[in-house]
């Protein structure tokens, strides 16, 4: 059964909501880890941050959230495609 346009729009809206919530969760994970790293470093307003070996371990959730938000439209179009109405042989 080929879904109609309204069903596809509803699916895409749901997928966009899920992708945005996932990105928000990843950003929250990043901020929690950043706060934990600041607390372990004894962060105060006058102190300087030094790049430690584990500082770059904070970046993957931030990068993943950014990629999800940048490619949100492409992901939803790929996960909920429009049906093709034409003949696959002649177009």
């Amino acid at each position: 059964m080929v879904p109609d346009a309204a069903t596809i729009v509803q699916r895409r809206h749901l997928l966009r909501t899920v992708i945005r919530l996932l990105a928000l969760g990843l950003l929250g994970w990043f901020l929690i880890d950043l706060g934990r790293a600041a607390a372990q470093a004894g962060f105060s307003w006058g102190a300087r941050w030094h790049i430690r070996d584990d500082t770059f371990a904070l970046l993957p959730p931030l990068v993943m959230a950014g990629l999800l938000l940048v490619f949100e439209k492409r992901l939803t179009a790929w996960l909920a495609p429009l049906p093709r109405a034409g003949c696959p042989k002649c177009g």
Side-chain angles (χ1 to χ4, degrees), residues 8-70:
I8 294 171
V9 168
Q10 288 175 346
R11 285 182 188 169
R12 285 187 177 184
H13 180 69
L14 177 66
L15 286 169
R16 281 189 180 150
T17 303
V18 169
I19 289 172
R20 289 175 183 169
L21 286 174
L22 183 60
L24 187 63
L26 287 168
L27 287 174
W29 179 15
F30 168 75
L31 291 175
I32 289 171
D33 280 350
L34 184 66
R36 187 178 304 138
Q40 287 176 354
F43 181 72
S44 65
W45 291 108
R48 291 181 122 192
W49 268 55
H50 298 286
I51 295 178
R52 301 182 336 202
D53 293 336
D54 61 343
T55 302
F56 294 107
L58 299 174
L59 292 179
L62 183 65
V63 170
M64 287 299 296
L67 287 174
L68 281 174
L69 292 175
V70 167

